Amino acid sequence: MEKSIKILICDEPTTALDVTIQAQIVNLIKELSKEYGFTTIYITHDLGVVANMADRIAVMNKGKVQQIDTPDTIYHHPANVFVATFIGSPAMNVVKARIEGTKIVIGECAVEIPAEWLKIVGTRKEVIFGLRPEAAKPNFDNAMVKGSVDFMENTGNLKTASLTLADGQNFFIQDSNQNIDLRNVTGFDFDWTNVNLFDVETEENIGYVEA
């Protein structure tokens, strides 16, 4: 006897519900899936729901699959610029940058590229530099990448500042430390373990170095 495959398909089931009931319904679906052993295909634009319930996510754009992977991989290592800017709020910062010798120039600030990253960059003269807002470390003095603050939003648990870099590109930084004032930052620092680089023409992720 052939084994039956149990699949539950949910198309935006909680869209019209308030936040509290949404969370209850999502948790109920997760519990039922585990109890009865069926696979749930959950279609939604609510990224919070996706991150909460999914083992694997398929990100689609105009009917085409852009990436299928775990929530963590899609968040930290998006396949392309579309996925990078679709997932997260604020989305991943993606700005054009020049390659000059062994340095990457972001907002007219030159930063040395580690040897392992130089292999990934190859012969490219330009890349798209990607960094999540929370991975941009606020700097109040001599920042790796300098910028001026346009505005700062405080939501209680997070502070988010929008910077304008020297070349006019915008960049968001985010921090949970309530004892700092992001309005006074001079720019940001970053760790290369949090970086994504994308090809300028294809906008595909060109690879990353394992942390």
Side-chain angles (χ1 to χ4, degrees):
M1 181 181 293
E2 294 185 1
K3 184 178 180 180
S4 62
I5 300 175
K6 301 175 182 178
I7 299 177
L8 174 64
I9 300 177
C10 303
D11 188 357
E12 298 278 7
T14 61
T15 302
L17 304 177
D18 65 46
V19 175
T20 302
I21 297 177
Q22 279 184 359
Q24 293 173 351
I25 295 297
V26 168
N27 288 330
L28 178 60
I29 292 173
K30 288 171 63 177
E31 292 172 3
L32 291 174
S33 297
K34 185 176 181 180
E35 182 177 351
Y36 293 101
F38 55 73
T39 298
T40 300
I41 299 176
Y42 197 104
I43 304 166
T44 182
H45 287 82
D46 189 331
L47 303 182
V49 170
V50 169
N52 181 39
M53 75 175 301
D55 296 314
R56 292 178 71 80
I57 299 172
V59 180
M60 302 185 68
N61 181 30
K62 298 179 180 178
K64 295 183 178 180
V65 175
Q66 304 296 307
Q67 186 174 4
I68 301 177
D69 218 312
T70 64
D72 281 347
T73 298
I74 285 179
Y75 186 81
H76 295 291
H77 301 297
N80 53 41
V81 170
F82 173 82
V83 177
T85 55
F86 184 70
I87 301 292
S89 181
M92 178 180 286
N93 293 292
V94 288
V95 294
K96 286 188 175 181
R98 303 191 309 274
I99 304 297
E100 296 183 355
T102 61
K103 294 184 178 182
I104 184 171
V105 181
I106 309 163
E108 303 305 328
C109 295
V111 179
E112 193 71 31
I113 303 172
E116 59 269 30
W117 275 95
L118 285 173
K119 297 176 183 177
I120 294 174
V121 171
T123 60
R124 291 176 176 85
K125 298 301 181 184
E126 285 185 308
V127 293
I128 297 174
F129 175 84
L131 190 72
R132 291 286 177 192
E134 69 273 16
K137 304 172 185 176
N139 189 304
F140 297 85
D141 185 18
N142 188 25
M144 291 170 64
V145 181
K146 295 177 174 57
S148 57
V149 178
D150 297 319
F151 69 86
M152 194 273 287
E153 178 184 42
N154 188 349
T155 56
N157 61 326
L158 285 174
K159 291 182 178 180
T160 304
S162 172
L163 306 181
T164 296
L165 307 184
D167 59 1
Q169 297 188 91
N170 294 322
F171 209 97
F172 285 97
I173 63 174
Q174 201 168 57
D175 201 284
S176 60
N177 187 348
Q178 293 300 302
N179 295 319
I180 64 173
D181 190 345
L182 291 185
R183 290 173 294 188
N184 297 325
V185 300
T186 60
F188 65 91
D189 301 335
F190 64 88
D191 190 313
W192 277 90
T193 58
N194 298 316
V195 170
N196 284 269
L197 296 180
F198 305 90
D199 185 86
V200 171
E201 294 186 1
T202 66
E203 297 192 345
E204 297 292 319
N205 196 323
I206 64 174
Y208 55 88
V209 176
E210 294 285 358

